[in-house]
Amino acid sequence: MISGSFSLLMLDQMPPSLLRADAFLSPLEIEAAVTRALEEDLGGAGDITSIATVPEDTEGRAVLAARKSGVIAGLPLVETAFRRLSPDIGIVPHARDGAAIQAGTKLMTISGNARAILGAERVALNYLGHLSGIATATATFVERIAHTKARVVCTRKTTPGLRALEKYAVRCGGGFNHRFGLDDAILIKDNHVAVAGGIKAVLTRAVQTAGHLVKIEIEVDSLDQLQEVLDVGLADVVMIDNFDLAAMRKAVALVAGRLVIEASGGITLESAAAIAETGVDYLSSGALTHSAQNLDVGLDIEM
């Protein structure tokens, strides 16, 4: 439990208006993430610095602002963090998740108990900076391939415990989500093929087991493997892994629209446009979540 006299934020007080309109993030996920982070930061004794230096009934006002330009994600977690420590705290939002902002843009004004503001500050900034960094990286990626039909998707290369938040941030940046976990789609990798005894064997077993709403994707690392997948005819999506551009173009011609094609393997911002121009449908990049740089955001007290 979070120590001190702070009250719990009820789930029906969650701030849905700050979410990007076309990207759902469960209120339960927001509450759980903020609770974990606050309990980690406040520990067993609470914010002993603020307790020692700030009188209990002191009121304060703070402005949350971006120090660099980018795309914002995580404002619902910011509001939840402050309300978790003081349910009646005043929150005035000036932006919404998914907004492209410039350096110096005010994002939120917070007013109320000064101890609560100081106690939640780091958790709020950690989430906002991290998720906005992912959204910003994704938006840059999306811009690079906007002249093509391709979409950029994230992967399962996420921070343990933060997958739903990070995948939401990708959506805030204009990207799309790949599967959320091992349980919502079948993705047959090279090791699955090896264990099962080949492409035909692994696809046959997958189709016999999968429900009618479960998509089946299979990874290939050569044009010969791709042809075998097409000959078997049981897959919905093919992942062409670490193909060079010439091989990608041949793969697109070979598939001829019969399967959805996902390009994967070390895709970077620099290589994205050329890959998208080959005609593939999706580019999957783990870098969107595991290598995005934090967006610099700050909170300044205005007493």
Side-chain angles (χ1 to χ4, degrees):
M1 291 290 294
I2 297 173
S3 61
S5 59
F6 304 120
S7 301
L8 298 182
L9 171 65
M10 301 304 293
L11 291 177
D12 61 3
Q13 294 176 279
M14 287 296 180
S17 63
L18 295 178
L19 291 168
R20 178 176 166 126
D22 60 352
F24 179 74
L25 182 60
S26 168
L28 294 172
E29 190 68 35
I30 296 172
E31 171 75 5
V34 169
T35 297
R36 288 194 306 268
L38 286 172
E39 287 181 343
E40 176 183 61
D41 212 23
L42 291 170
D47 179 6
I48 62 173
T49 304
S50 295
I51 292 171
T53 61
V54 178
E56 185 177 10
D57 58 354
T58 301
E59 296 288 304
R61 180 175 181 271
V63 174
L64 178 68
R67 292 172 176 166
K68 288 189 176 180
S69 60
V71 176
I72 292 300
L75 288 173
L77 286 94
V78 171
E79 179 167 6
T80 300
F82 288 114
R83 291 203 188 281
R84 189 72 163 80
L85 298 192
S86 180
D88 59 351
I89 204 163
I91 302 286
V92 179
H94 307 299
R96 184 175 184 168
D97 278 1
I101 51 87
Q102 299 299 315
T105 299
K106 289 185 178 181
L107 305 174
M108 184 181 290
T109 300
I110 305 102
S111 58
N113 184 268
R115 286 188 182 179
I117 295 174
L118 294 169
E121 175 184 2
R122 178 42 52 198
V123 166
L125 293 179
N126 282 351
Y127 276 132
L128 186 63
H130 177 58
L131 298 180
S132 296
I134 291 172
T136 300
T138 302
T140 305
F141 214 117
V142 169
E143 184 179 9
R144 291 289 178 92
I145 65 171
H147 62 292
T148 73
K149 69 172 185 177
R151 289 178 169 181
V152 59
V153 299
C154 53
T155 70
R156 285 167 46 242
K157 295 177 181 177
T158 53
T159 307
L162 297 184
R163 180 169 295 167
L165 304 183
E166 292 179 346
K167 283 184 172 286
Y168 165 74
V170 168
R171 291 301 305 269
C172 287
F176 291 82
N177 298 146
H178 207 279
R179 59 179 179 164
F180 271 70
L182 295 173
D183 61 340
D184 63 355
I186 291 177
L187 174 47
I188 301 167
K189 306 281 281 184
D190 54 353
N191 285 334
H192 296 104
V193 174
V195 171
I199 286 176
K200 183 176 182 179
V202 78
L203 283 173
T204 300
R205 288 180 63 86
V207 169
Q208 290 172 345
T209 303
H212 69 290
L213 295 180
V214 178
K215 294 289 186 179
I216 298 175
E217 180 173 5
I218 186 167
E219 175 190 78
V220 299
D221 55 23
S222 70
L223 290 170
D224 288 341
Q225 282 191 329
L226 174 58
Q227 184 61 63
E228 187 175 356
V229 169
L230 293 170
D231 291 342
V232 173
L234 298 176
D236 301 294
V237 184
V238 63
M239 176 189 290
I240 54 175
D241 187 49
N242 286 302
F243 278 39
D244 60 28
L245 292 176
M248 286 185 191
R249 285 188 284 268
K250 290 179 181 178
V252 171
L254 192 61
V255 170
R258 287 177 285 175
L259 297 175
V260 173
I261 302 176
E262 174 187 340
S264 180
I267 297 175
T268 65
L269 189 60
E270 290 69 33
S271 64
I275 292 172
E277 288 165 1
T278 66
V280 299
D281 299 294
Y282 292 92
L283 283 67
S284 58
S285 174
L288 297 178
T289 50
H290 68 58
S291 296
Q293 183 177 358
N294 270 29
L295 186 71
D296 191 3
V297 293
L299 184 92
D300 292 314
I301 298 289
E302 297 180 348
M303 296 298 291

